[in-house]
Amino acid sequence: MSDRSARAERAARRCLHAGFWIPLAICTWLALSPSPPQPTFRISDVVLHALAFSYLTFALGLAYPNARRLTLAGWLIAYGVLIEVVQSFESARSAELKDLLVDGVGIGIGLLLLKVLGDWSRRIVRSLMTASIR
């Protein structure tokens, strides 16, 4: 592997990791904040959970391609449970079983997207990094 392609591979890996960890931090802050910012337009809580967990599952799979799908799902279910447990201690928030069920649906969608688009997405990121490194 040439120095240029090795640098591109490292840059792609960093981008994929950031594409998971930064949104995870934002989701965590939004989920645990006693009064999260109000969105500009209304979106159902169910839709937000499904979208967030679909994206996080997809991004986690891209960032850690050698992880088994069941492991990815397990980590994200554990994350969803942790959020609900912490929210149960916050007076302005409430823990809901419905949220965990929707998280599970989102994880399933994310795994499906990962299966269909995962390799292609990784190739696109690598191509972009290769093109940006001179």
Side-chain angles (χ1 to χ4, degrees):
M1 183 181 288
S2 72
D3 182 51
R4 181 174 184 237
S5 62
R7 287 188 331 200
E9 186 63 34
R10 283 191 304 273
R13 200 170 30 253
R14 282 193 295 267
C15 284
L16 292 171
H17 284 180
F20 170 71
W21 289 104
I22 292 170
L24 180 75
I26 293 167
C27 287
T28 303
W29 175 73
L30 289 169
L32 301 181
S33 175
S35 54
Q38 293 301 312
T40 306
F41 48 92
R42 295 292 305 160
I43 298 176
S44 160
D45 184 50
V46 169
V47 172
L48 288 174
H49 272 264
L51 288 173
F53 276 81
S54 294
Y55 175 80
L56 289 173
T57 303
F58 182 71
L60 181 60
L62 290 180
Y64 299 95
N66 296 327
R68 292 181 31 223
R69 303 291 189 250
L70 188 58
T71 302
L72 299 175
W75 278 109
L76 285 163
I77 285 292
Y79 172 69
V81 168
L82 178 67
I83 286 172
E84 296 305 318
V85 167
V86 173
Q87 283 182 345
S88 72
F89 293 103
E90 175 57 52
S91 62
R93 305 300 288 258
S94 62
E96 296 182 37
L97 181 59
K98 171 192 68 144
D99 288 347
L100 282 176
L101 295 174
V102 174
D103 294 349
V105 170
I107 291 167
I109 292 168
L111 290 173
L112 179 63
L113 290 171
L114 189 58
K115 182 176 179 75
V116 173
L117 300 172
D119 291 337
W120 176 79
S121 299
R122 279 189 213 91
R123 280 195 308 274
I124 294 293
V125 172
R126 281 191 200 104
S127 295
L128 290 170
M129 292 303 107
T130 301
S132 69
I133 294 178
R134 302 192 195 281

